[in-house]
Amino acid sequence: AFDNPRLSWTELAMCWAVLSTSVFEGVQLVLDGFGAYLSNSWNWFSVLASSFFWLGLACRLSDLHESAGAGQLYYAVSAFFMWMKVLHLFSVHKSLGPLVIAFGRMRDDVFLFGTIWMVLLLAFSTAMQGAAPMKHAKPDANDNNSNPMHQWRSWWLLRTYYQSFGEAFFEEL
């Protein structure tokens, strides 16, 4: 899909939509002032969505074939922030509004929990990799029963991630 240098009609429609949103947000930035504009957390979603979309489009239109994957990733991150911006529309609904407000208040606590969880995952995966027998560190190429996931450099991080949700990996004991 990203091998074709021409933009599809859906990409052109998204370019138009993001351009109009970017112009609107730029006007709002000038009218409100930089500090007041960035103090509203919903504006951050618009800025991030537009920025990642334009980065994705730049990667998409570049001549480097390797940047197509990065462009696709930027499009995906942009779509995430665009959908998060839709939550702002729900804040005026009488049933969904309090849920969106609760989500906004909970955001900082969830970010703090995620940071602590990630530090613990990294520490545990580093300890597990250091304490692992060498047969898992370098799997035998002739072993047909070897799991190809063990060949990934990130296997220990993935393993501890799965273990944090209860996967025991008894077959490796």
Side-chain angles (χ1 to χ4, degrees), residues 43-60:
N43 290 338
W44 280 94
F45 288 126
S46 297
V47 168
L48 290 171
S50 298
S51 300
F52 279 111
F53 180 82
W54 295 122
L55 281 171
L57 186 66
C59 289
R60 165 82 166 83

Side-chain angles (χ1 to χ4, degrees), residues 12 24 30 34-35 44 56 84 90 107 130 161 163 165 167:
L12 289 173
F24 175 76
V30 170
F34 192 72
W44 280 94
M84 291 301 290
F90 291 145
R107 178 184 55 220
Y161 173 78
Q163 284 176 335
F165 289 108
E167 178 65 40

Side-chain angles (χ1 to χ4, degrees), residues 78-92:
S78 173
F80 168 77
F81 286 118
M82 287 178 190
W83 280 109
M84 291 301 290
K85 181 72 175 165
V86 171
L87 283 177
H88 185 56
L89 300 174
F90 291 145
S91 63
V92 297

